Amino acid sequence: MPRIRPSLIVLAAAAVALTGCASGPQSLTPSEIVAEIACASTDPLGGDPGRAGPMPDHFQPVAAVRCVPFQTVEDDEGIWSVILRERLEGDLTALLRAQAEPDDARSPGPCAAIAIIAPQIWLTDAAGRGIRVRYPADGCSQPKLDLIGDALAELAVVQTDEEQRTLTQPRAALESGCAPTWSARPLQIAAPEELEEWEGTLDAPAPAPSSTGIQTIPWAPPRTPAPGEVETLRLCAYSTDDAANPSATPAPGSTTWVTVDAEGTAWFTGSRQLDAAETRAVLGAAASAQPLPEACDDIPGSLVVLDADEEGKAPITVELDGCRRLIVDHIATYAAPPALVEMLGG
């Protein structure tokens, strides 16, 4: 059986004082009736707020539907990101009463500058049609989550379906310890002289005791191992070919599924451990690498990432075609020696 792991969304915001004029609640347009409720085809965290309003005349709800995004399911193929659709049944009186409450009058006092995301809730009738449940707003125009949440708590979840699933971590990548994807575009940091508009902002403050007497400590970024510093490296292979983008037939209960497709993304294709001789060759090439003969920004078809799997050690990336870059310390880009490319691509 697949295992479902709930995930958490955290939003951070700063509170600031805002002024407002007190006003009464405004009349609202009734919710739009849709022929079919689809969590995957709309924003599961809220979507268009204009679609939610009072219940239309002649709409007879029989159940509620809750969209639950950003869940994970693990099975033999790996870890999937899924969107769930829950059907809740029971006495809808409290929910209907809650969503019909008027908005509070606008508060004349300060309001926090925050964005509260309200989960997407629907009412459905016997024909499967749906309307969005409206969240009454408080005096700061924020949705009353507890009001709708408490009403939903009186209902029972009678059915849970997957509406979408995306394979985010293939089983082979999980077992190897490799990342499921890797960027095929090296991280580029501009030179200070290229940042004229930021003049005066480039000098980092020196460590100094704070008002509490705590001394800040400069952080040493991970560095590529020097020759002889490690005895073995793990090789993770990646490809930007569409054929490497993992896809699969949906599991029972899924109605749709997708794969991630982004320019510059390379997908995991395999892994192996380098022996001592190969590790020495890689670290020696990284230590003596030369600059690229000319500027190049091609996306490689395949690349490998070599990792010592030790804290404080940065991986080495080698492109097997295209520009054939060798990247150390995450950002330092050099030319990969042909002999190294041949050894790693074999």
Side-chain angles (χ1 to χ4, degrees):
M1 291 288 293
R3 298 197 300 274
I4 298 178
R5 302 173 176 174
S7 58
L8 179 64
I9 305 170
V10 179
L11 298 178
V16 299
L18 301 176
T19 59
C21 298
S23 62
Q26 299 178 348
S27 60
L28 301 172
T29 302
S31 290
E32 174 189 356
I33 300 176
V34 300
E36 183 179 1
I37 298 171
C39 292
S41 63
T42 57
D43 181 359
L45 292 179
D48 180 6
R51 295 183 59 187
M55 189 165 60
D57 294 337
H58 312 302
F59 185 84
Q60 300 294 326
V62 297
V65 172
R66 176 168 52 199
C67 297
V68 188
F70 310 125
Q71 305 300 294
T72 57
V73 171
E74 183 172 354
D75 59 17
D76 291 343
E77 294 186 64
I79 295 178
W80 302 76
S81 173
V82 303
I83 295 176
L84 301 178
R85 180 178 60 187
E86 295 178 337
R87 181 182 176 91
L88 299 92
E89 295 182 356
D91 186 352
L92 298 175
T93 302
L95 179 58
L96 297 178
R97 183 171 56 246
Q99 69 97 31
E101 284 195 8
D103 295 341
D104 291 348
R106 176 67 183 180
S107 171
C111 290
I114 59 176
I116 295 179
I117 295 178
Q120 189 178 120
I121 310 297
W122 297 78
L123 290 169
T124 184
D125 63 10
R129 300 182 306 166
I131 63 168
R132 283 274 307 282
V133 168
R134 169 183 162 271
Y135 283 83
D138 63 19
C140 290
S141 300
Q142 299 294 349
K144 295 182 178 180
L145 300 184
D146 290 344
L147 181 66
I148 299 299
D150 291 345
L152 286 174
E154 298 184 16
L155 305 177
V157 177
V158 298
Q159 183 176 340
T160 300
D161 297 310
E162 289 182 21
E163 279 216 357
Q164 177 175 296
R165 53 166 42 199
T166 305
L167 185 60
T168 57
Q169 298 186 56
R171 174 59 56 191
L174 286 171
E175 293 178 349
S176 67
C178 296
T181 62
W182 200 262
S183 175
R185 288 189 180 277
L187 178 65
Q188 297 180 358
I189 295 182
E193 58 270 16
E194 297 176 2
L195 302 175
E196 296 178 358
E197 67 274 20
W198 290 0
E199 186 175 356
T201 66
L202 299 176
D203 295 331
S210 67
S211 59
T212 60
I214 298 175
Q215 174 77 31
T216 57
I217 301 175
W219 173 71
R223 296 297 181 189
T224 294
E229 196 172 358
V230 298
E231 297 182 355
T232 185
L233 294 169
R234 179 181 59 218
L235 181 150
C236 302
Y238 299 89
S239 172
T240 57
D241 193 306
D242 287 341
N245 190 351
S247 61
T249 302
S254 297
T255 55
T256 61
W257 70 102
V258 297
T259 53
V260 177
D261 186 9
E263 182 183 4
T265 297
W267 294 279
F268 174 81
T269 58
S271 70
R272 66 183 179 91
Q273 288 292 125
L274 299 188
D275 60 27
E278 292 173 316
T279 298
R280 286 194 298 271
V282 170
L283 297 181
S288 60
Q290 300 299 309
L292 288 167
E294 58 186 18
C296 180
D297 194 35
D298 295 342
I299 295 178
S302 58
L303 56 90
V304 296
V305 177
L306 307 144
D307 194 355
D309 199 21
E310 292 184 10
E311 185 176 357
K313 299 293 189 294
I316 301 168
T317 301
V318 179
E319 299 175 350
L320 303 182
D321 52 25
C323 300
R324 296 197 173 188
R325 289 167 286 209
L326 185 153
I327 304 161
V328 300
D329 300 338
H330 290 296
I331 58 173
T333 302
Y334 302 97
L340 178 66
V341 172
E342 182 178 0
M343 182 189 76
L344 297 177

